Amino acid sequence: MLIPVKEPSQVGDARRRALAFAQELKFDDSRRGAVALAATEMATNLVKHAGSGYILLQPVRDNGNSALRVISVDKGPGIRDITKALSDGHSTAGTLGTGLGAIRRAASALNVYSSPGAGTVLLAEFWNGNTKHLSIGKDFDVGVVSEPVAGEEVCGDGWGVRELRDAALLMVVDGLGHGLPASDASREAERILEATKHNSLPDILKDTHDALRKTRGAAFGLARIDADRRLLSFVGVGNIATSIVTPGASRSVASHNGILGQNVERIQEFTVPWESNALVVMHSDGLTTRWDLGRYPGILSKHPAVIAAILHRDFCRGRDDVTVLVARLAGETNS
């Protein structure tokens, strides 16, 4: 969920919506209070320091664990000294300077990326119960931004993550057009991924193709990361872009022409090496392909949710539904 924050009156809306998610996730009173405090501080900072921006609210559920990600995104002046900004008593707006310090204390985990003159993305995670780390099983960290085009209530894109015994499946799907018909196609693809008994990517694609025949169809990309064998495999139909990013390099993985559910010209699985500290970036055509993470010094060390939010902020076309998914093996970061 994306909540624009351009004026003080919208701070309360961000807090209320964050609390609604916390209640849905069955957070206790203490956790709900922490969420409310952080959402208020983050939205207030957008108005005071950046002039405007938006809050992303993302509930996360995995293997019985749950969390809420609260992400603030702006294109403001940035933070020149993040360490100093996180210390209590520091202020550049004539306030008490407890905002970022209060967010850090309230959150289970905090991740921030800021560029002077280019803006800031701040991720605060709130884990329910005894959860210590939210990943896909124990092996993969994933971040996603998936938002409908302006004017639509539902997103015509979709995504999914499925843990296997020794790997993870990652999917991005883009239903043709916008609104409910596009959403129906994407929700059906998500259902197939969740229910499938197959480990074979071509078999999953074929099942999804058959299921989407009753819909208007979709572009579709499905990747598997094999952590032990250090391999990434991919099948795709249509214009879902998939890239493996390492320091100083980005390698695209091919997809074939067609529309899943209508016409699939060819099904071919591609397999490429998965290098240490690599990221995979998958996105629909609501995001331009002109992005380059090399323009952001130090970004590869940040949480995938922060990276996804930056790509969404800087490369969203603004005239289509957009989904960007970023994943890496847990514990592997680049500096």
Side-chain angles (χ1 to χ4, degrees):
M1 174 181 288
L2 188 153
I3 305 164
V5 179
K6 299 179 180 179
E7 56 187 45
S9 64
Q10 294 171 307
V11 172
D13 185 39
R15 180 181 64 252
R16 286 188 294 272
R17 291 176 182 267
L19 270 174
F21 275 119
Q23 291 167 348
E24 180 183 321
L25 292 169
K26 297 184 172 25
F27 283 16
D28 62 21
D29 289 343
S30 175
R31 287 284 83 190
R32 290 200 298 269
V35 167
L37 183 152
T40 300
E41 293 287 352
M42 293 165 78
T44 299
N45 285 345
L46 289 176
V47 176
K48 286 185 177 179
H49 299 287
S52 66
Y54 53 90
I55 297 289
L56 292 168
L57 298 175
Q58 301 177 345
V60 181
R61 298 177 181 87
D62 175 59
N63 289 337
N65 298 321
S66 62
L68 178 64
R69 289 174 178 163
V70 183
I71 307 173
S72 67
V73 183
D74 69 66
K75 289 188 174 182
I79 303 172
R80 294 191 177 277
D81 189 333
I82 292 175
T83 301
K84 183 181 290 187
L86 287 169
S87 63
D88 290 337
H90 176 73
S91 173
T92 60
T95 65
L96 292 176
T98 58
L100 289 185
I103 297 167
R104 180 176 62 177
R105 290 191 302 274
S108 304
L110 192 70
N111 206 259
V112 59
Y113 185 82
S114 188
S115 298
T120 300
V121 171
L122 177 68
L123 162 67
E125 279 193 338
F126 299 87
W127 303 331
N128 201 3
N130 295 321
T131 301
K132 298 299 181 184
H133 181 74
L134 251 293
S135 58
I136 305 306
K138 66 183 189 317
D139 291 326
F140 298 91
D141 289 330
V142 179
V144 183
V145 177
S146 186
E147 290 295 326
V149 67
E152 293 288 355
E153 293 294 324
V154 296
C155 187
D157 288 356
W159 62 279
V161 179
R162 172 83 181 269
E163 183 190 9
L164 304 177
R165 183 177 59 82
D166 55 357
L169 299 175
L170 312 170
M171 180 194 73
V172 171
V173 58
D174 179 358
L176 265 62
H178 308 122
L180 282 172
S183 177
D184 288 344
S186 292
R187 301 296 80 76
E188 186 67 7
E190 291 171 343
R191 183 188 69 80
I192 293 297
L193 181 67
E194 183 176 352
T196 186
K197 305 299 183 183
H198 296 302
N199 289 338
S200 161
L201 299 189
D203 286 345
I204 298 172
L205 188 149
K206 291 174 185 176
D207 285 353
T208 309
H209 177 55
D210 290 340
L212 264 61
R213 290 185 186 278
K214 61 188 178 185
T215 74
R216 61 169 50 177
F220 176 87
L222 180 65
R224 181 179 61 230
I225 303 175
D226 187 320
D228 293 333
R229 298 171 62 205
R230 309 297 299 193
L231 294 174
L232 179 138
S233 302
F234 178 80
V235 293
V237 173
N239 53 359
I240 299 299
T242 299
S243 299
I244 299 175
V245 181
T246 55
S250 178
R251 176 179 181 177
S252 297
V253 185
S255 182
H256 286 294
N257 294 330
I259 301 172
L260 206 67
Q262 293 188 21
N263 62 291
V264 175
E265 298 176 4
R266 186 179 182 188
I267 298 175
Q268 183 177 3
E269 179 175 336
F270 297 93
T271 299
V272 296
W274 180 263
E275 298 180 26
S276 179
N277 301 322
L279 287 171
V280 62
V281 179
M282 303 175 68
H283 62 82
S284 66
D285 66 350
L287 198 80
T288 175
T289 57
R290 296 194 303 269
W291 57 269
D292 177 8
L293 291 179
R295 293 173 44 190
Y296 302 85
I299 189 64
L300 297 185
S301 68
K302 300 304 177 181
H303 191 282
V306 170
I307 299 171
I310 286 175
L311 290 172
H312 173 263
R313 180 194 69 184
D314 293 348
F315 298 99
C316 179
R317 295 182 188 274
R319 59 179 186 269
D320 199 356
D321 303 314
V322 59
T323 296
V324 53
L325 182 153
V326 181
R328 69 163 165 241
L329 289 174
E332 292 192 356
T333 60
N334 287 286
S335 49

